[in-house]
Amino acid sequence: MHLPEFWGYVKFSDKQPGTDNFAIPDDDNIIQALFYLYKKEKEHLKLHGSYTNNIKELESLMFVFNNKICNPTIEITNFGFEISFDISFKRIKYVINEKGFIKKIGY
């Protein structure tokens, strides 16, 4: 049950195969992006001996959710790091820490 970023989806339906629509929930795309940046931050630690708070040192991709660009932020903490996406149009912030724990914070 480890590495949830590699999990798949199973949908049960009474409809004929191929006739029922399924879309990955928006939240899951955000969580995938968090895990991606989490791995990049861990790689940075191995290569440089420290975490970075500069997102450009980890990734130069743009992250788009619901056709809106969302810029991640990184904060170095006493225990490691927190990477977050502030999804203002949903009034939600997603945060992953150095242990891979994710928090969803509404505001």
Side-chain angles (χ1 to χ4, degrees):
M1 297 304 292
H2 297 286
L3 302 174
E5 64 272 25
F6 293 111
W7 293 355
Y9 296 89
V10 175
K11 180 178 181 185
F12 296 95
S13 174
D14 293 332
K15 296 183 180 179
Q16 290 290 335
T19 62
D20 199 4
N21 292 330
F22 173 76
I24 295 173
D26 289 337
D27 290 3
D28 288 5
N29 291 322
I30 296 165
I31 290 168
Q32 288 288 333
L34 282 172
F35 275 119
Y36 176 78
L37 292 171
Y38 165 86
K39 288 180 197 165
K40 291 287 195 174
E41 187 72 90
K42 290 293 191 172
E43 288 173 14
H44 188 278
L45 176 64
K46 284 182 186 176
L47 291 173
H48 303 284
S50 64
Y51 295 122
T52 181
N53 63 353
N54 184 347
I55 192 67
K56 298 214 186 282
E57 289 184 31
L58 300 181
E59 187 55 62
S60 59
L61 294 174
M62 286 192 323
F63 295 93
V64 179
F65 307 109
N66 286 359
N67 297 318
K68 293 179 176 52
I69 295 172
C70 297
N71 296 312
T73 58
I74 304 173
E75 181 182 342
I76 303 302
T77 67
N78 290 335
F79 302 103
F81 66 87
E82 288 187 342
I83 302 172
S84 62
F85 279 105
D86 188 350
I87 312 298
S88 58
F89 62 90
K90 291 180 98 176
R91 299 180 56 86
I92 295 172
K93 183 176 186 175
Y94 293 85
V95 182
I96 191 168
N97 68 11
E98 72 284 345
K99 293 183 179 181
F101 296 131
I102 295 178
K103 295 183 280 189
K104 180 179 176 181
I105 305 163
Y107 59 90

